[in-house]
Amino acid sequence: MAAGFNWFLVLSCVFLCNLVKTLLPSISSFLSKIFHKDADQETEMRTEIQNMRMELSSINMMDEFARYARLERKINKMTDQLKTLVKSRTAQQAKMKWIVNIVFYIAQAAVMISLILKYYADPVTVVPSKWIAPLERLVAFPSGVAGGVGITCWLVVCNKVVAIILHAIS
Amino acid sequence: MEVCEESEGARTAAQRRAEIRRRKLMQNSEDRMKKIVGFSQPEDSSADRSARSALEPRFHLDLERHEPWSGSAKRLSPHPAETDRSASEAAGEEDSPRELPASPRRGLKKYLSRLDDAMKLRGHLAGEKPAPDRAGTEPDDLDAFCLFRLAASVALALFVRIFVCQYLSIFAPFLTLELGFMGLHKYFPKVCLCFGTDNVEKKSQATVLTAALLLSGIPSELINRSMDTYRKMSLVFSDLCVYFFSFVMCHELLLLCGSDGS
């Protein structure tokens, strides 16, 4: 019974890998939010800048030039600080995205290699060989079993089908 | 009196020398300008020519030549031996300075035309909406014909598993199906989602790859045909994968139902 569900195991692994690949941007942004400690500070700065700008718009430059200039300088200084903060956050996000992608691709490669090594000699399923003539050797590679569906052929087929399904859904 | 004559003579000689020096400077300024712009020196002597770099190709156009044109040795000769020979023979020739600017000008024109193409393509690529990251490898959107193909592949796989596979190979009906798709293609309106129209037009994707191929000199017609062939082959491959997958799934489900039933 366990041997009869090899094809299902491979299909599930491929489906999970492709699903995680689709969710990679969300995962990386979630992780960067967790590791980014200055998120609150950034929000506070934005709010403060907005309040100062509203105050600036209420001040008449002709009547209260000194106050206007002081406030404007404050706004500019805080804007520069905010820009620096946003820059560092963006760099951290890019770094996190890069790390998440690398980890994912290494994990995916490990899963695929382990599947190939596990089913190198055994086919994932067997059908009568005359059904899949004249491509029975290609389909059976690398198991070499007549009428069998080899791991490589099944991996390629599952990857394609899962990609089409996920593309249609998304 | 003699002193005056001598001084007048000296002034005249000095004036003459100054005049010579001025003329020399004026001549040299032209040469200097030409060097800056990138043209080689036109009025060099044969000795100067031989001292030039051996890699520099030299062109000689002999307008007063009466002999038939014997070959390319005299016209274009990157080899230093030949160029020296031709330089010594062409000591009295003219028009080589006129020939020399023509090839840099042609090269410059070609470069500028390519630069125009590159700027246009860059603007076009920058103006295109960036495609989101897709999990699938489908380059085009799933239009009506693609969906029809996939549905037909699944349906045929089920039909073949249930009724046909005992008699012949499963790939024969698939090939027949693909031949049918080739004929049915023109009856399906292709909706170009990127332009929002219902015109039957080929959607030309200007990607970085096609831009690079265009700039490297490959004709656009060849690129379009290759991309079209690649797209069709990828569609056939997708159909084959869906067909085979559906066949195997149906087979396994039948085996499961059969084993549960028994």
Side-chain angles (χ1 to χ4, degrees), chain A residues 4-5 7 11 22 125-127 130-133 135 139 149 153-154 156-157 160-161 163-164 167-168, chain B residues 134-138 142 150 161 165-166 169-171 237-238 241-242 244-245 247-249 251-252 256:
Chain A
F5 286 99
W7 60 272
L11 177 63
T22 322
T125 186
V126 182
V127 297
K130 67 168 187 174
W131 289 4
I132 51 175
L135 300 177
V139 170
V149 178
C153 174
W154 190 238
V156 167
V157 166
K160 191 71 182 173
V161 170
I164 290 172
H167 176 65
Chain B
R134 295 179 190 171
T137 55
E138 291 284 318
L142 288 175
L150 297 173
R161 173 60 189 87
C165 61
Q166 292 90 358
S169 167
I170 65 171
F171 297 112
F237 181 69
S238 307
C241 289
V242 168
F244 190 70
F245 181 82
F247 181 84
V248 169
M249 289 286 280
H251 175 69
E252 292 296 328
L256 191 67

Side-chain angles (χ1 to χ4, degrees), chain B residues 16 18 37 50 58 78 86 101 107 119 128 150 168 184 186 240 244 247:
Chain B
R16 255 187 272 126
V37 170
S50 60
R58 292 168 213 176
S86 58
M119 297 306 284
E128 266 187 7
L150 297 173
L168 78 163
L184 285 173
K186 53 185 149 211
L240 179 62
F244 190 70
F247 181 84

Side-chain angles (χ1 to χ4, degrees), chain B residues 100-162:
Chain B
L100 279 166
S103 53
R105 211 178 295 141
R106 249 183 280 131
L108 192 65
K109 274 184 190 166
K110 202 174 173 186
Y111 170 74
L112 285 173
S113 67
R114 290 273 173 89
L115 189 64
D116 281 339
D117 292 337
M119 297 306 284
K120 277 180 206 162
L121 278 166
R122 188 182 146 198
H124 183 62
L125 284 170
E128 266 187 7
K129 203 172 155 186
D133 285 341
R134 295 179 190 171
T137 55
E138 291 284 318
D140 298 331
D141 293 326
L142 288 175
D143 56 354
F145 187 58
C146 281
L147 288 172
F148 171 72
R149 284 176 82 118
L150 297 173
S153 302
V154 171
L156 182 69
L158 299 177
F159 177 78
V160 164
R161 173 60 189 87
I162 295 169

Side-chain angles (χ1 to χ4, degrees), chain B residues 198-223:
Chain B
D198 287 339
N199 295 334
V200 182
E201 283 176 21
K202 278 191 188 145
K203 190 169 68 171
S204 62
Q205 287 183 318
T207 60
V208 177
L209 176 65
T210 49
L213 288 171
L214 273 170
L215 287 171
S216 58
I218 298 173
S220 61
E221 183 62 37
L222 183 63
I223 294 172

